[in-house]
Amino acid sequence: MYIVAQCLGAVCGCGLVKAFQKTYYNTYGGGANELADGYSKGTGLGAEIIGTFVLVYTVFSATDPKRNARDSHVPVLAPLPIGFAVFMVHLATIPITGTGINPARSFGAAVMYGKEKAWDDQWLFWVGPMIGAAIAAFYHQFVLRAGAVKALGSSRST
């Protein structure tokens, strides 16, 4: 239900932009993501995977409830590294794919814009973020957390 709600929200949001900012909407292609000319589908997929990995990894790291007590102030500051990650990912991937990193946003823009080019590579904006998020989740849970547990266990045994 969450994914459906996200997609419906994206369609509604794009519909509002289309209704109230028609000139900008048409000038900028309805905000629809598309693979830029001169880039292969593999490059676009890689950009979406890496971009989403960076964002999801940052969110997990900045909001991890198992941080040390000395870092207890960090959750209050979590929006700063997350916002910075979004900014950096956009700088890197806007020229390649327009920066999807959120399948629902890409879907909503494609639905409202309705042109064929918006749908040509729509799969990139679903598959890339899903792979990137899965890798970030795996890395955070099984590599970083496992290392932290091992380090904590060895320091307690001494």
Side-chain angles (χ1 to χ4, degrees):
M1 289 307 294
Y2 180 76
I3 294 171
V4 172
Q6 284 279 309
C7 290
L8 288 174
V11 171
C12 292
C14 288
L16 288 171
V17 171
K18 186 176 184 176
F20 291 109
Q21 296 290 328
K22 191 79 165 170
T23 303
Y24 290 117
Y25 181 85
N26 290 328
T27 301
Y28 296 109
N33 295 100
E34 56 186 48
L35 186 62
D37 293 333
Y39 291 99
S40 69
K41 292 183 188 316
T43 301
L45 182 62
E48 289 297 313
I49 290 169
I50 293 168
T52 306
F53 172 86
V54 168
L55 174 60
V56 173
Y57 172 74
T58 303
V59 170
F60 284 161
S61 296
T63 61
D64 188 348
K66 294 190 177 190
R67 298 178 72 96
N68 292 334
R70 68 178 171 77
D71 294 334
S72 62
H73 64 284
V74 173
V76 174
L77 301 175
L80 293 174
I82 294 168
F84 187 70
V86 169
F87 173 68
M88 294 306 292
V89 168
H90 275 74
L91 285 180
T93 61
I94 280 177
I96 302 168
T97 62
T99 308
I101 68 173
N102 179 347
R105 195 215 66 82
S106 299
F107 176 77
V111 167
M112 291 309 298
Y113 193 57
K115 302 273 191 303
E116 187 175 323
K117 180 73 171 147
W119 289 104
D120 285 349
D121 299 315
Q122 185 64 208
W123 68 272
L124 289 173
F125 306 109
W126 285 85
V127 174
M130 287 182 195
I131 293 171
I135 294 169
F138 179 84
Y139 182 73
H140 182 77
Q141 188 67 33
F142 297 108
V143 176
L144 293 183
R145 282 248 180 106
V149 168
K150 188 182 289 184
L152 183 60
S154 65
S155 68
R156 285 188 177 168
S157 64
T158 56

